[in-house]
Amino acid sequence: MRITIVTGPFWSPPPAPGGAVERRWFHVAERFAAKGHDVTFLSRRHDKTLASDETIKGVQHHRRLSLKSGGSLKANLVKDAVYTTRMLGTLPKADILVTNTFWMPVLAPRLRGKAGRVVVNVARAPKGQMKLYKKAALLVAPSTAVAQMIRDEVPDQADKAIAVANPIDTHVFRPDDTPEPETPTIVYTGRVHPEKGLTLLAEAHRRLRQRLPNLVTKVIGAWTVEDGAAGDDFRRELRSIGGDGVEFVDPIWDRQALAAAIRSGTVYCYPSVAEKGESFGCAPLEAMGCGRAVVMSGLAAFDDYVAVDENALRFDHKADDAASRLADQLGRLLDDGTLRHRLAKAGAETASHYSFDAIADQYLNHFEKLL
């Protein structure tokens, strides 16, 4: 097959530090090429240190424009239109076009078949744009929950909505012989933003520290507004709520280093309350892969891979006493080594099924059906 992948205008794929979606497609594209397919990858240009055109592991990369996301949705949509228009002139003749940009699924079908069957990677919960994609062949969500949101938004296109999970790097996010720290430690990775439930985590930390005076909670991730987080004022608020033992670590772009940081904790917590912001939850799955027991919120986006009390614990993030419930679940893991290790082992087994190869095969099966 001839497959083209076009990622968005604001984040770059590896080897540049960039967004999760771009990173995942970079690696899945390599698996497509390794399986004998002709793969072209069009993406945002990071800086002048990377060539505009090069081939990496059989994938032809073309990097164009370098745009930055702003605070205005309208402005970002205009930038996406400019970027998409530029990329249209670079599209090769293909059988399949995969994209997560806003405008490419609208404009590419006008090329009279040159671009191939359009597959929209709906990386987040839809917000009204699905009705624009009537000429797309597939609307691919990362979870069953998001696929249902698509069907609800465009019931006349319900047969196009499918779920294919996001992959993780199972060669990096895997168990090793790193021992648990002597000091009880909770780790979170992700953006430092209220929608991630970090206020609940800070409150749970404060409650737990009353009986675990050495408890440490590490919040690892982007915190600046430019990076989509809430800025330093929110970090100060979390420090005020949590008190002693709440530590902040800047984002770790290197995947091996990130895995090591996850393993530096006793347990991992992902308390997100973003009902429409979470589409799958790679961060907690990566933590499972690292062999750490996980506590997660009750968001439906996580349902595809979480079996409660079998490979992870969950708490009701909508409850009036959500922070107390989170503290209870974290306390269960910190107090009970047998439970902690059982969940960690089961979680690692679950995560092992979400490799780049496995997800690439799922996509290829769907592409073959389209053709």
Side-chain angles (χ1 to χ4, degrees), residues 182-366:
E182 294 184 6
T183 301
T185 305
I186 301 166
V187 171
Y188 159 86
T189 56
R191 290 184 299 120
V192 183
H193 192 283
E195 72 175 9
K196 295 298 185 179
L198 295 178
T199 303
L200 297 177
L201 179 56
E203 174 62 24
H205 169 89
R206 185 186 64 77
R207 290 170 180 264
L208 287 167
R209 200 171 165 93
Q210 293 174 10
R211 63 180 185 81
L212 298 171
N214 295 326
L215 178 66
V216 172
T217 294
K218 295 182 180 179
V219 177
I220 303 171
W223 57 272
T224 66
V225 174
E226 185 180 74
D227 287 331
D232 201 36
D233 286 346
F234 184 57
R235 292 202 303 179
R236 284 194 290 269
E237 178 184 340
L238 294 177
R239 285 194 187 96
S240 176
I241 294 170
D244 293 339
V246 177
E247 300 178 0
F248 293 91
V249 180
D250 284 342
I252 301 173
W253 300 114
D254 179 82
R255 310 309 285 170
Q256 294 281 0
L258 179 61
I262 292 170
R263 297 188 195 103
S264 73
T266 313
V267 300
Y268 180 90
C269 182
Y270 199 76
S272 178
V273 296
E275 295 286 345
K276 295 189 176 181
E278 298 290 350
S279 58
F280 175 72
C282 275
L285 189 62
E286 290 171 346
M288 286 178 166
C290 288
R292 288 297 182 259
V294 174
V295 178
M296 306 168 65
S297 61
L299 292 176
F302 309 143
D303 289 351
D304 288 353
Y305 62 86
V306 174
V308 178
D309 289 343
E310 292 183 19
N311 62 7
L313 297 183
R314 304 185 79 169
F315 74 100
D316 184 357
H317 61 283
K318 295 181 179 179
D320 292 338
D321 59 344
S324 176
R325 296 189 184 208
L326 174 57
D328 288 344
Q329 295 292 60
L330 288 168
R332 283 181 65 194
L333 287 183
L334 292 170
D335 293 340
D336 188 342
T338 300
L339 172 64
R340 191 166 66 245
H341 297 147
R342 176 174 65 80
L343 292 179
K345 182 178 180 180
E349 171 62 23
T350 297
S352 70
H353 298 289
Y354 290 82
S355 67
F356 293 128
D357 270 320
I359 301 307
D361 283 342
Q362 289 185 40
Y363 270 105
L364 290 172
N365 287 337
H366 286 296

Side-chain angles (χ1 to χ4, degrees), residues 35-78:
K35 296 172 188 292
H37 301 283
D38 183 357
V39 186
T40 302
F41 197 122
L42 277 58
S43 64
R44 171 189 182 271
R45 186 167 187 177
H46 175 61
D47 57 30
K48 293 182 180 180
T49 63
L50 298 177
S52 297
D53 305 283
E54 66 175 327
T55 300
I56 303 175
K57 293 187 178 181
V59 179
Q60 301 172 60
H61 286 269
H62 303 293
R63 306 180 181 100
R64 302 289 186 269
L65 298 181
S66 182
L67 303 177
K68 290 186 178 181
S69 176
S72 167
L73 175 59
K74 289 183 178 180
N76 287 339
L77 290 177
V78 170

Side-chain angles (χ1 to χ4, degrees), residues 27 93 110 344:
H27 292 295
K93 186 172 179 59
R110 300 184 181 186

